[in-house]
Amino acid sequence: MAGLQEPRRVTELSNELTRDIDTADPLGIVRRLCGSDAQLFAGWGGHPGVNDPVILDRLWKLSLKTAALLKENQDQKKNNRIVFSGCGTSGRIAWLCSWTYNRILQKFGHTPCFHYLIAGGDRSLIISNELPEDDPPKGAEDLKKVAEGADHVMFVGITCGLSAPYVAGQIDHSMHQPNMTSVLMGFNPVSLSRNAPIEKWDKTCRQVFLELETLSCTSDSAFIINPIVGPEPITGSSRMKGGSTTAVLLGTVFLTSLQTLLGQPILPSMTLPAREPEETEVVFDHSLSPSLSPMVSLLDCYSQTYQTVYRHSGGVASLLKLAASCICQPSGRLIYLGADTLGALGLVDASEMVPTYGVGLEEFRGFVAGGWEGCGNTEGDLSGYGKTFRVSLSQFESDVLPSLTDQDCVLCLHGSSQRTGPPHLHTIVNKVLASPAKCGLLVMAENGMSCNHLLDKRYETAVLIRLPYYHAFGKECVFAGFALKLVLNAISTGANILKGRVYGNEMINLRLSNDKLFERAIAIIEKWSGANEEDAKFALLRAIYKQDDAANVTLSHPACPLLISEYYLSSLFLSSLSLSSSSNIVQYHPTSQRHPLRTWLFHWLCYWQEVGVQSVIAAERKLLQSAKGLRDVIS
Ligand code: F1P
């Protein structure tokens, strides 16, 4: 398969800090995530990270350009637009950021001008839908639509892996438009961006992104923002560090531009540096201009937020344990309830569970006060699309509350600046506390705010995280949102680890719903079976087509026509068993009842290696080790 023979993209590598995360207890999981998230600020592997002067300089230039566009809108009544676009989590972060920034602009009497695009449209905000990510012409078409009638468009295409054809199609369009600025955001070197052929398109992501990189050297209408933040803690799960880095970078650029525009500091404790006389600007570090310092201070606010979150590792771990105690039950669920952006972050966290871990749609859910009303999404109320799109608290009350059992965990998400929170949230929380469900409370607290009114003895676990920086500009909880994202990612990832859906630090039940995920599945098989790439691909296709005979398997590429949403890697392990002549391998497995997914992986290893004894023994040892870790935690 073209593109697979090359060095792996950083975002698809296994992170050495989390290789044994599947054997860790809740606190150990959180500590490993802390180490991995540190790379967001510290950088990785000798590449430029977010604090590298090269990246800071680009962010600064981008913020100046953003400020200029906003100023033209204000002073000259221009219709400039800033469009964030991406697939999956990148599109969801694009939504949350554009929604928040528009509200901040309004607060200062500016006209909202942020827009977002997500592959597959608004339905992808809630239910992951990866197939449209492979469609460059659709990406370009969506961008053309949102740009109609604008004087200038700053297009920010986000693809953590520099791998999404949808975004490549948009960059390819925008960089040839005289009234567009093209910004590519992702977390790999451009030279490693995805180079696989794309169905019905004559370019690869890499060709387009390299062209933009060349343009960015000579034009101020092209930017590449690609700090390297290290591999994801669960290999390839870019909803985690990739999504968090996106939020940090967009926030830093936007808040800096607003600060420049308004000429006033953003945070109470921040002052703009006095302009130094020219001659004293000869500093030891010539690469970092003093004018960058307000922007760097903002970046530091995010970094301190990260540190504060992980200083509460014990609390985060106890919420994780509570959630896992339900998710590990046969019909356990984890449900987030919240308001505003913090509530919406619950929706976003839940949305990636299906494709990443192969869970059912009901297992992780989020609900937000007011539902779609006021969520700043383009298509408005989506609840007509079905049960999963019914996300308001009233809908929670009618659809879910009556069915809550002691296998369910309900996690209430609060911001302390919300005081008691919306009255409806308060009423619903009281009803949940009276139900058989296990209840947890997570409060993101502003320094100095009393939170006693939120605490209730009926919560099994309550965690309060006091943040040094809470919001920017009044009620928009920019930093609290970042903190909450880190915590929710830890809880949902940890619960899936403890359920046995992660092997090493690999997602072993991902959905094969587009080309990139098909490639990832091949890499997983390669890694655990020791097979070479061609054999691994062939094994996967044989399992998909339920054919042992090579001649009957369609080796078409990109992906294969059957790759739609119903294929999950673990189920393919199972179906491959029916092809196997060595069905007696079942007897090898010691923990089949407790951890079916691990069992499937184990069976698969045996099958595809024709029972290669050495690696089977190694795999079994590892499984037993993991099982012990799990037993200690769950019992
Ligand atoms: C986009 C994305 C991810 C998701 C999954 C499929 O990735 O939808 O958000 O977790 O891996 O791809 P990217 O284009 O931002 O790298």
Side-chain angles (χ1 to χ4, degrees), residues 3-10 12-13 188 191-195 206:
L4 281 184
Q5 304 291 355
E6 307 193 340
R8 290 234 156 88
R9 297 188 290 283
V10 176
E12 293 288 332
L13 292 176
N188 283 312
S191 58
L192 285 185
S193 55
R194 195 156 160 248
N195 205 26
R206 187 179 302 171

Side-chain angles (χ1 to χ4, degrees), residues 282-405:
V282 182
V283 286
F284 295 111
D285 181 358
H286 292 269
S287 58
L288 198 63
S289 148
S291 56
L292 292 182
S293 94
M295 186 182 80
V296 171
S297 304
L298 275 167
L299 209 45
D300 288 347
C301 294
Y302 281 105
S303 163
Q304 285 179 45
T305 304
Y306 148 79
Q307 287 168 25
T308 308
V309 164
Y310 284 105
R311 282 184 191 129
H312 292 76
S313 293
V316 176
S318 50
L319 286 174
L320 190 173
K321 190 170 174 178
L322 184 72
S325 69
C326 292
I327 288 299
C328 290
Q329 301 298 322
S331 54
R333 294 178 287 185
L334 172 60
I335 294 155
Y336 301 126
L337 301 183
D340 219 285
T341 343
L342 299 186
L345 276 159
L347 300 181
V348 168
D349 190 75
S351 68
E352 281 275 333
M353 294 297 102
V354 177
T356 310
Y357 297 110
V359 309
L361 276 172
E362 294 303 311
E363 201 172 325
F364 291 80
R365 292 286 307 272
F367 293 88
V368 59
W372 292 105
E373 201 179 310
C375 264
N377 66 310
T378 314
E379 296 171 34
D381 186 359
L382 305 179
S383 46
Y385 285 123
K387 210 168 149 197
T388 319
F389 296 91
R390 291 168 54 81
V391 297
S392 73
L393 294 183
S394 319
Q395 287 158 345
F396 166 78
E397 195 173 0
S398 57
D399 300 356
V400 182
L401 187 66
S403 65
L404 287 178
T405 71

Side-chain angles (χ1 to χ4, degrees), residues 403-423:
S403 65
L404 287 178
T405 71
D406 61 359
Q407 299 204 349
D408 294 315
C409 174
V410 179
L411 192 54
C412 304
L413 314 174
H414 263 288
S416 69
S417 68
Q418 294 169 333
R419 287 278 163 197
T420 52

Side-chain angles (χ1 to χ4, degrees), residues 247-557:
V248 168
L249 295 176
L250 293 181
T252 302
V253 169
F254 169 68
L255 295 174
T256 307
S257 69
L258 207 54
Q259 196 163 243
T260 308
L261 185 73
L262 302 172
Q264 72 180 67
I266 290 173
L267 300 158
S269 56
M270 262 174 85
T271 46
L272 290 175
R275 191 91 190 107
E276 301 285 340
E278 277 309 296
E279 52 278 17
T280 63
E281 281 193 5
V282 182
V283 286
F284 295 111
D285 181 358
H286 292 269
S287 58
L288 198 63
S289 148
S291 56
L292 292 182
S293 94
M295 186 182 80
V296 171
S297 304
L298 275 167
L299 209 45
D300 288 347
C301 294
Y302 281 105
S303 163
Q304 285 179 45
T305 304
Y306 148 79
Q307 287 168 25
T308 308
V309 164
Y310 284 105
R311 282 184 191 129
H312 292 76
S313 293
V316 176
S318 50
L319 286 174
L320 190 173
K321 190 170 174 178
L322 184 72
S325 69
C326 292
I327 288 299
C328 290
Q329 301 298 322
S331 54
R333 294 178 287 185
L334 172 60
I335 294 155
Y336 301 126
L337 301 183
D340 219 285
T341 343
L342 299 186
L345 276 159
L347 300 181
V348 168
D349 190 75
S351 68
E352 281 275 333
M353 294 297 102
V354 177
T356 310
Y357 297 110
V359 309
L361 276 172
E362 294 303 311
E363 201 172 325
F364 291 80
R365 292 286 307 272
F367 293 88
V368 59
W372 292 105
E373 201 179 310
C375 264
N377 66 310
T378 314
E379 296 171 34
D381 186 359
L382 305 179
S383 46
Y385 285 123
K387 210 168 149 197
T388 319
F389 296 91
R390 291 168 54 81
V391 297
S392 73
L393 294 183
S394 319
Q395 287 158 345
F396 166 78
E397 195 173 0
S398 57
D399 300 356
V400 182
L401 187 66
S403 65
L404 287 178
T405 71
D406 61 359
Q407 299 204 349
D408 294 315
C409 174
V410 179
L411 192 54
C412 304
L413 314 174
H414 263 288
S416 69
S417 68
Q418 294 169 333
R419 287 278 163 197
T420 52
H424 196 193
L425 180 58
H426 192 62
T427 318
I428 297 283
V429 166
N430 266 320
K431 290 185 181 172
V432 172
L433 284 168
S435 79
K438 292 180 177 157
C439 285
L441 172 70
L442 174 58
V443 187
M444 289 299 159
E446 197 177 350
N447 252 339
M449 276 269 192
S450 159
C451 298
N452 291 342
H453 58 285
L454 294 172
L455 303 177
D456 187 308
K457 287 209 168 64
R458 289 172 295 170
Y459 285 114
E460 302 222 1
T461 310
V463 175
L464 175 75
I465 301 186
R466 282 205 181 278
L467 297 169
Y469 302 98
Y470 187 86
H471 27 49
F473 297 112
K475 86 182 183 68
E476 303 308 329
C477 39
V478 175
F479 301 109
F482 173 59
L484 183 65
K485 180 181 181 297
L486 297 180
V487 177
L488 297 187
N489 286 174
I491 292 172
S492 54
T493 302
N496 278 301
I497 290 171
L498 294 175
K499 176 89 175 182
R501 289 174 176 142
V502 169
Y503 188 75
N505 58 2
E506 218 84 56
M507 48 174 93
I508 52 167
N509 198 26
L510 75 155
R511 184 168 66 177
L512 310 185
S513 41
N514 72 7
D515 258 1
K516 179 182 82 173
L517 301 175
F518 180 67
E519 289 167 6
R520 187 178 299 162
I522 292 173
I524 293 172
I525 296 165
E526 241 183 291
K527 176 170 172 183
W528 293 112
S529 69
N532 66 30
E533 181 191 312
E534 274 314 306
D535 289 348
K537 179 188 171 192
F538 189 49
L540 187 54
L541 286 171
R542 281 201 292 176
I544 289 171
Y545 285 98
K546 300 186 173 56
Q547 302 272 2
D548 250 353
D549 182 357
N552 292 330
V553 175
T554 317
L555 286 165
S556 63
H557 185 78

Side-chain angles (χ1 to χ4, degrees), residues 87-90 92 130 133 158-164 236-239 352 356 514 516-517 520:
C87 307
T89 295
S90 301
R92 292 176 204 118
E130 289 85 9
E133 301 181 7
I158 310 153
T159 166
C160 299
L162 296 187
S163 52
S237 182
S238 54
R239 80 184 190 101
E352 281 275 333
T356 310
N514 72 7
K516 179 182 82 173
L517 301 175
R520 187 178 299 162

Side-chain angles (χ1 to χ4, degrees), residues 119-133:
D122 270 5
R123 271 181 283 185
S124 306
L125 296 176
I126 296 296
I127 297 193
S128 291
N129 176 14
E130 289 85 9
L131 208 55
E133 301 181 7

